[in-house]
Amino acid sequence: LVSTKVIVTIFSPDLTNQSIKVASQLRDAGINTELYSDEAKLDKQLKYANKQGIPWVLVIGPEESKNDVVKLKNMETRKEESLSVTALIKKLK
């Protein structure tokens, strides 16, 4: 059973397409990706990732979207970093 490596959160309804696009890019790169399909507060999405044991959470907020980056959160260390999608794929592969 392949477990989810990263979950792409949905920051807000207007950024949903951005999240879907990045999730597709990750899947195309062979990274097991889940897209949080519910419109829920970010906190709830993080709790879900924790409960499911998903090691990485991806956040694309207005700031990230504007700068064409994504925020990657390591659920174990709680560290966050901003990366381009290309750098993200390299890191998660």
Side-chain angles (χ1 to χ4, degrees):
L1 186 73
V2 180
S3 60
T4 302
K5 189 166 195 176
V6 61
I7 185 164
V8 181
T9 60
I10 298 194
F11 189 86
S12 60
D14 55 327
L15 292 169
T16 301
N17 285 343
Q18 189 78 17
S19 291
I20 292 169
K21 194 177 118 192
V22 172
S24 299
Q25 288 171 296
L26 290 171
R27 287 184 186 128
D28 289 347
I31 296 161
N32 197 339
T33 307
E34 191 175 320
L35 182 67
Y36 198 93
S37 55
D38 221 14
E39 252 172 59
K41 287 194 166 58
L42 201 54
D43 189 46
K44 187 178 174 196
Q45 298 182 54
L46 292 173
K47 282 190 179 121
Y48 170 82
N50 247 347
K51 211 171 85 184
Q52 299 295 321
I54 300 168
W56 300 98
V57 174
L58 211 61
V59 180
I60 306 164
E63 207 44 45
E64 287 81 18
S65 181
K66 197 173 72 185
N67 296 315
D68 214 18
V69 294
V70 296
K71 188 178 285 168
L72 182 66
K73 184 178 178 91
N74 179 323
M75 292 306 283
E76 204 177 304
T77 64
R78 297 277 181 231
K79 284 202 178 106
E80 294 181 347
E81 59 182 317
S82 291
L83 302 158
S84 69
V85 173
T86 313
L88 169 74
I89 289 169
K90 278 196 187 112
K91 185 173 177 103
L92 293 178
K93 272 212 138 189

